[in-house]
Amino acid sequence: MARAAAVTSPTPRPAPDRSEAVLSRLQLLVTRKLDGLLQGDYAGLLPGPGSEAGESREYRPGDDVRRMDWPVTARTTTPHVRRTVADRELETWLALDLSASLDFGTGQWLKREVVVAAAAAITHLTVRGGNRIGAVIGTGGGASAPARRWRGGPPPVGPGVLTRLPARSGRKEAQGLLRAVAGTAIQPGRGDLGALVEMLNRPPRRRGVAVVVSDFLAPTEQWARPLRKLRVRHDVLAIEVVDPRELELPDVGVLPVVDPESGELHEVQTADPRLRQRYAEAAAAQRAAIAAALRGAGAAHLRLRTDRDWLLDMVRFVAAQRHARTRGTTR
């Protein structure tokens, strides 16, 4: 199904000088409704000696005798001690798709505003535990340009730019990351979601959490394999951003629509019930294919809509995930 957006008056987006106020309000919303829901999944948040059993090695003078590995000592007749794996802080990475198809919305929010809101929620929940969070951002124009590393100030923009924000801990660094995300300008042209996800695979990082936020309208063969590769090493959460006009057309007569990535303009006769039905069926099949690809990649799937309370949907999703873990099932 083509990515078509109605040429109507979009929901007004916050002015640049209001970005700080918007981010502060988002943080308050997250604190009130989400705080604490994502905590407790990891044994340790900061580096320490650890308690998880690791490999054994021969005893050396000064080793703690409480860590003696008696079964190995009995088999080898040589004293051995059990190493422990150090508890570590959790590292979370965001892959944020800000291609041209996200610059659209007919509900309460633009799709890009939902992307920023989801990033704010995940960022706040991560840094409150003393953990590290980083991000990679993709804009439109294809993936021909090399990835750039952000070093403060306005993030680089331009066709096909993939921006990497290094993982850091602390509230100040988190606010800087969110300001960089909110200040990223959407560029015309098609983005490459597969290249964006692949940035989380290279270079290899220690096990953590990877969150991919996109509308996933790119062909599934473009991003499904990088996502499966990402799942091998990390816990993956896919947040799909959807607008109601992408699921069904309203009966409003002749409706001019434009593909935000190619710029192609079409006029659609929405008064035709058969056309609206075919559109709805094609949209349902497209979303089913996206859900199947995410499920095949082993990613947890959260769908946020521009015409719904995204925060309530996130709370319900987190509660369902925690309930599934207590019952011994996931996803």
Side-chain angles (χ1 to χ4, degrees), residues 3 11 13 40 43 53 67 77 98-99 111 114 126 129 133 146 166 178 184 205 214 254 265 319:
R3 309 187 200 193
T11 305
R13 80 178 58 177
R67 295 195 291 116
T77 68
L98 291 179
S99 57
K111 288 166 66 177
V114 177
T126 299
I133 188 164
L178 291 176
T184 299
R205 297 178 176 86
S214 173
V254 178
L265 179 66

Side-chain angles (χ1 to χ4, degrees), residues 216-257:
F216 292 96
L217 291 180
T220 56
E221 58 269 15
Q222 181 188 100
W223 49 263
R225 184 173 180 178
L227 199 65
R228 288 195 299 269
K229 182 179 177 182
L230 185 66
R231 179 63 183 88
V232 171
R233 191 173 184 87
H234 305 282
D235 294 328
V236 179
L237 169 61
I239 301 180
E240 179 188 7
V241 181
V242 181
D243 187 84
R245 294 288 75 83
E246 295 171 339
L247 303 178
E248 58 183 7
L249 289 175
D251 184 0
V252 293
V254 178
L255 180 68
V257 297

Side-chain angles (χ1 to χ4, degrees), residues 25-322:
R25 187 161 61 250
L26 283 173
Q27 184 172 351
L28 288 175
L29 289 173
V30 171
T31 301
R32 291 174 55 189
K33 293 191 176 182
L34 280 182
D35 201 22
L37 289 179
L38 294 183
Q39 306 299 329
D41 290 340
Y42 287 78
L45 299 178
L46 301 176
S51 58
E52 182 179 350
E55 298 179 351
S56 295
R57 63 169 175 81
E58 291 188 7
Y59 174 85
R60 298 171 186 168
D63 285 340
D64 190 346
V65 296
R66 292 175 298 181
R67 295 195 291 116
M68 292 292 297
D69 191 342
W70 296 112
V72 176
T73 299
R75 289 199 304 269
T76 62
T77 68
T78 302
H80 279 70
V81 293
R82 174 71 68 176
R83 291 178 176 179
T84 56
V85 178
D87 295 340
R88 50 173 169 75
E89 60 185 356
L90 172 65
E91 186 169 280
T92 300
W93 279 89
L94 300 172
L96 305 176
D97 179 13
L98 291 179
S99 57
S101 64
L102 275 295
D103 199 19
F104 169 68
T106 61
Q108 303 175 18
W109 312 83
L110 291 177
K111 288 166 66 177
R112 71 158 291 148
E113 292 172 348
V114 177
V115 172
V116 174
I122 299 298
T123 299
H124 175 69
L125 290 170
T126 299
V127 299
R128 276 186 65 85
N131 302 312
R132 295 158 51 91
I133 188 164
V136 292
I137 308 172
T139 63
S144 56
R148 304 183 183 181
R149 188 178 182 88
W150 181 74
R151 298 185 182 277
V157 297
V161 169
L162 298 175
T163 306
R164 188 189 305 275
L165 312 181
R168 295 170 179 166
S169 59
R171 294 177 180 271
K172 182 178 179 180
E173 288 74 13
Q175 287 297 319
L177 182 146
L178 291 176
R179 284 195 297 269
V181 171
T184 299
I186 289 182
Q187 303 296 318
R190 299 192 183 278
D192 191 336
L193 182 58
L196 180 66
V197 175
E198 190 62 33
M199 285 186 68
L200 299 184
N201 290 319
R202 297 194 304 259
R205 297 178 176 86
R206 65 187 182 187
R207 182 172 178 83
V209 176
V211 183
V212 182
V213 189
S214 173
D215 54 13
F216 292 96
L217 291 180
T220 56
E221 58 269 15
Q222 181 188 100
W223 49 263
R225 184 173 180 178
L227 199 65
R228 288 195 299 269
K229 182 179 177 182
L230 185 66
R231 179 63 183 88
V232 171
R233 191 173 184 87
H234 305 282
D235 294 328
V236 179
L237 169 61
I239 301 180
E240 179 188 7
V241 181
V242 181
D243 187 84
R245 294 288 75 83
E246 295 171 339
L247 303 178
E248 58 183 7
L249 289 175
D251 184 0
V252 293
V254 178
L255 180 68
V257 297
V258 62
D259 187 329
E261 296 194 345
S262 66
E264 296 180 0
L265 179 66
H266 302 276
E267 290 187 348
V268 180
Q269 178 54 268
T270 62
D272 185 353
R274 293 175 297 178
L275 184 144
R276 296 199 306 273
Q277 181 180 1
R278 291 198 302 271
Y279 183 92
E281 292 173 350
Q286 182 186 44
R287 295 297 165 180
I290 292 172
L294 294 176
R295 186 168 56 251
H301 183 196
L302 168 61
R303 178 175 293 175
L304 301 179
R305 293 175 52 126
T306 60
D307 60 341
R308 291 171 55 99
D309 185 347
W310 62 269
L311 194 54
L312 180 60
D313 288 341
M314 187 171 284
V315 169
R316 290 173 175 170
F317 172 81
V318 173
Q321 289 289 299
R322 292 175 67 88

